[in-house]
Amino acid sequence: MKKSDIKFQIELDEKSLPKAITWDASDKEGEGLESTKSISLNIWDNLNQSTLRIDLWTEDMSVVEMKRFYIDILGGMGQTILNSTGDEYMSEEIKDLCDRLVRHVNEENSKI
């Protein structure tokens, strides 16, 4: 059986806030740690039948990048729902929400 490892390293400042985030995965292209500004990890807790979340970002991640990051995450969830369950309605609702959020962010950015 094949195994894959995913590793995150978080460098914290004196207030325990993320200063730098790096990651590596045994199946990714290229070798060595790569830098990122944000991670969002969701884990299904079988025992409590709920989702555990870890959301971390560095201070160099802009508000616009953060909004785009979460729109991309939602869009990916919509595609995963379609691929894993075949639920076209739920997938389309998520896609429609993402489209509205993209318009919102674009309108905000045009005013800057």
Side-chain angles (χ1 to χ4, degrees), residues 62-110:
S62 70
V63 170
V64 172
E65 288 175 313
M66 180 64 81
K67 290 178 181 184
R68 288 186 55 215
F69 179 56
Y70 278 97
I71 292 169
D72 285 349
I73 289 171
L74 285 169
M77 288 177 178
Q79 188 61 51
T80 298
I81 286 290
L82 181 61
N83 295 345
S84 62
T85 68
D87 189 332
E88 292 181 18
Y89 175 80
M90 192 168 178
S91 177
E92 279 300 314
E93 288 294 311
I94 293 171
K95 182 185 175 302
D96 290 346
L97 172 61
C98 288
D99 290 344
R100 289 192 308 272
L101 292 172
V102 166
R103 283 192 301 274
H104 168 72
V105 170
N106 288 342
E107 287 172 11
E108 273 187 338
N109 291 337
S110 70

Side-chain angles (χ1 to χ4, degrees), residues 38-50:
S38 183
I39 62 172
S40 180
L41 180 63
N42 300 282
I43 301 166
W44 181 250
D45 180 357
N46 279 331
L47 181 63
N48 295 307
Q49 295 290 293
S50 63

Side-chain angles (χ1 to χ4, degrees), residues 20-41:
I21 302 170
T22 53
W23 69 279
D24 196 9
S26 56
D27 287 350
K28 80 172 175 56
E29 291 183 24
E31 295 199 16
L33 291 170
E34 290 192 35
S35 180
T36 188
K37 295 179 182 181
S38 183
I39 62 172
S40 180
L41 180 63

